[in-house]
Amino acid sequence: QVQLVESGGGLVQAGGSLRLSCAASGRTVSTYAMGWFRQAPGKEREFVSAISWSGGNPYYADSAKGRFTISRDIAKNTVYLQMNSLKPEDTAVYFCAAKTRRRVGAPRDVTAYDDWGQGTQVTVSS
């Protein structure tokens, strides 16, 4: 079991930046990857970015590539998502997720993750 707490969301103008943080606690030793997903009202939860925990290999959705950067701090059990050049379509609740079980699952797959945070709201005004 891993507990995840997101922070850093807020209101920003189009073109602005935000840095999301996700702090993990609990049995973090079993973490294989952590990712960011977002969900707008009435829409499905979609992949944004992910990172393998040991290797630090990043993965990005097409919508995020070139604008967002994911990183991790192993010592702090924290993953970050630096979001630049934000657009109104980025508006959503952003969820942090952790893959803690050794099983088949692609980093982009929402079903690959075992633990989820409560989410942090990101609102981008035009």
Side-chain angles (χ1 to χ4, degrees), residues 71-83:
S71 61
R72 81 212 193 285
D73 187 326
I74 296 177
K76 294 183 177 180
N77 292 316
T78 300
V79 63
Y80 305 94
L81 184 67
Q82 178 67 46
M83 305 189 295

Side-chain angles (χ1 to χ4, degrees), residues 30-45:
S30 62
T31 300
Y32 291 97
M34 294 183 70
W36 290 97
F37 293 77
R38 67 188 184 189
Q39 187 169 21
K43 296 185 178 180
E44 298 293 320
R45 190 167 298 187

Side-chain angles (χ1 to χ4, degrees), residues 19-123:
R19 190 192 192 199
L20 305 184
S21 298
C22 175
S25 61
R27 298 187 181 276
T28 56
V29 67
S30 62
T31 300
Y32 291 97
M34 294 183 70
W36 290 97
F37 293 77
R38 67 188 184 189
Q39 187 169 21
K43 296 185 178 180
E44 298 293 320
R45 190 167 298 187
E46 67 174 355
F47 169 78
V48 178
S49 185
I51 188 167
S52 62
W53 203 244
S54 60
N57 301 309
Y59 305 85
Y60 298 99
D62 289 341
S63 61
K65 202 164 190 175
R67 299 188 298 131
F68 297 178
T69 303
I70 191 169
S71 61
R72 81 212 193 285
D73 187 326
I74 296 177
K76 294 183 177 180
N77 292 316
T78 300
V79 63
Y80 305 94
L81 184 67
Q82 178 67 46
M83 305 189 295
N84 299 324
S85 302
L86 284 163
K87 305 173 181 179
E89 51 261 45
D90 294 318
T91 296
V93 176
Y94 283 69
F95 296 91
C96 177
K99 176 179 171 60
T100 57
R101 298 187 180 92
R102 186 181 176 87
R103 56 181 172 85
V104 175
R108 290 175 167 82
D109 189 356
V110 66
T111 65
Y113 296 86
D114 305 291
D115 301 286
W116 295 82
Q118 291 297 303
T120 184
Q121 177 70 46
V122 171
T123 303

